[in-house]
Amino acid sequence: MSNLDRQATPTVCGGRGFVVAEPVRELLSPRRVQLGESTEVRRLLPNLGRRMVGAWAFVDHYGPDDIADEPGMQVPPHPHMGLQTVSWLHEGEVLHRDSLGSLRTIRPRELGLMTSGRAISHSEESPKAHAALLHGAQLWVALPDAHRNVEPHFQHHADLPTVTAPGLTATVILGELDGARSPGTAYTPIVGADLSLAQGADARLPLDPDFEYAVLSMSGEAEVDGVPVLPGSMLYLGCGRTELPLRAASDAGLMLLGGEPFEEEIVMWWNFVGRSHAEIAQARADWMTSARFGEVEGYDGGRLSAPHLPPVALKPRGRVR
């Protein structure tokens, strides 16, 4: 999914400057962003004071939106580099097209994983005949320096492993959880999991103490380590945890995001992840003037133009705390 912010500012992310080396409970409120003409998203990452969680660098939550009489999601072709996009739905469908020729309809609880590597472009849209509701999350994973120029590729996985406990089903989207590993390609130690809690559930989820974690609430009423987390908000949990207490007052849906703290500092702007302002500027110029990102065939409409890239003096990050 694209970042459609026309006032996008380069942001320094990564490194250990904001990593919390002990368990915390830091509730993050979203920023509301208009995505195209008909979809509003709640942006949780990057957030004021919290730029990344492991390699997770971007999190949008949207819906549930009633699109029965609307076109739904309509995101024209746009570029990516240096990252992976993770598409995750609870309701509805999204049609993915990319410059490699991939064409795939992503449905609820199916993984759509696009690795941009050195360069790719894609579009996302609700199919012309679509379900009445659209509800999901779009996430980005920053690629480490050793892999950020890999050949671009797209993966779709309809069958994903699960971890179960009384009242809890955890679907492993990316990485590994409690011995269950996703078939999606990961380039850093990471985990992404969809947590379905039944009303009255009281469970403890095993965690890796070397990872930092956050939990995004998708729906329902749930408590994460004793903290009520409302839909569209995210609780940052820090590092050093071996388990996570979860309780549900109603049926609830959560997403667990975690991973080893991302060691490298990155520069993130618009739909690009790089290592310097000059690299970002070159990617913008290439999208506007060259064939580097390829062409998306079959989308009914033009592609996105890049916003203005301001000259920015990027500041170093703070210290670990």
Side-chain angles (χ1 to χ4, degrees):
M1 186 177 292
S2 176
N3 176 7
L4 299 187
D5 189 349
R6 306 308 294 178
Q7 305 297 321
T9 301
T11 303
V12 176
C13 302
R16 288 183 172 266
F18 283 126
V19 176
V20 181
E22 61 186 8
V24 295
R25 302 174 186 86
E26 181 182 304
L27 192 61
L28 305 179
S29 297
R31 178 168 64 94
R32 295 183 179 272
V33 178
Q34 195 68 28
L35 188 70
E37 296 181 359
S38 57
T39 303
E40 183 184 76
V41 301
R42 292 167 286 279
R43 183 152 299 161
L44 282 310
L45 286 181
N47 199 303
L48 183 64
R50 183 64 50 204
R51 304 288 175 78
M52 297 179 72
V53 177
W56 298 99
F58 182 95
V59 177
D60 275 353
H61 172 243
Y62 56 90
D65 295 325
D66 185 349
I67 59 169
D69 299 317
E70 304 290 339
M73 182 181 293
Q74 299 293 322
V75 182
H78 56 278
H80 286 288
M81 76 168 190
L83 57 88
Q84 294 176 289
T85 64
V86 176
S87 299
W88 189 253
L89 289 168
H90 276 196
E91 295 180 275
E93 310 89 22
V94 172
L95 179 63
H96 165 97
R97 304 175 191 265
D98 64 40
S99 53
L100 304 176
S102 309
L103 178 63
R104 176 68 68 171
T105 300
I106 302 167
R107 296 181 172 85
R109 270 76 178 192
E110 297 179 354
L111 172 62
L113 177 64
M114 186 181 75
T115 301
S116 66
R118 55 180 175 76
I120 199 171
S121 57
H122 74 141
S123 65
E124 293 163 296
E125 58 187 308
S126 297
K128 294 190 184 305
H130 55 256
L133 295 178
L134 180 64
H135 182 204
Q138 185 74 22
L139 313 98
W140 298 353
V141 178
L143 291 172
D145 189 64
H147 299 287
R148 66 191 182 99
N149 290 312
V150 299
E151 288 297 310
H153 56 276
F154 176 75
Q155 296 172 265
H156 174 258
H157 297 286
D159 296 316
L160 296 167
T162 60
V163 174
T164 60
L168 167 67
T169 299
T171 301
V172 185
I173 301 167
L174 196 64
E176 184 175 353
L177 178 67
D178 197 27
R181 177 172 289 276
S182 165
T185 302
Y187 293 91
T188 58
I190 197 171
V191 64
D194 183 87
L195 311 180
S196 295
L197 295 170
Q199 182 177 1
D202 188 350
R204 290 179 177 267
L205 193 65
L207 300 183
D208 185 331
D210 293 331
F211 282 17
E212 62 175 337
Y213 289 95
V215 170
L216 167 67
S217 175
M218 299 284 286
S219 61
E221 299 179 41
E223 289 185 2
V224 179
D225 196 16
V227 179
V229 184
L230 299 177
S233 62
M234 186 162 72
L235 184 68
Y236 177 71
L237 297 163
C239 299
R241 294 175 179 269
T242 58
E243 63 179 14
L244 184 63
L246 300 168
R247 300 184 66 182
S250 69
D251 290 350
L254 307 171
M255 291 189 74
L256 175 73
L257 306 175
E260 285 189 359
F262 200 77
E263 294 280 359
E264 305 164 28
E265 285 196 350
I266 62 175
V267 179
M268 189 164 67
W269 177 80
W270 197 43
N271 297 292
F272 304 135
V273 168
R275 296 302 185 276
S276 69
H277 188 276
E279 185 182 348
I280 295 294
Q282 185 61 59
R284 181 191 182 279
D286 289 346
W287 172 245
M288 299 298 289
T289 63
S290 80
R292 171 183 171 185
F293 292 91
E295 294 292 333
V296 178
E297 302 292 341
Y299 181 81
D300 185 15
R303 65 182 195 167
L304 286 178
S305 61
H308 172 68
L309 173 62
V312 174
L314 299 174
K315 299 179 179 180
R317 307 294 302 280
R319 295 182 180 178
V320 69
R321 58 185 176 92

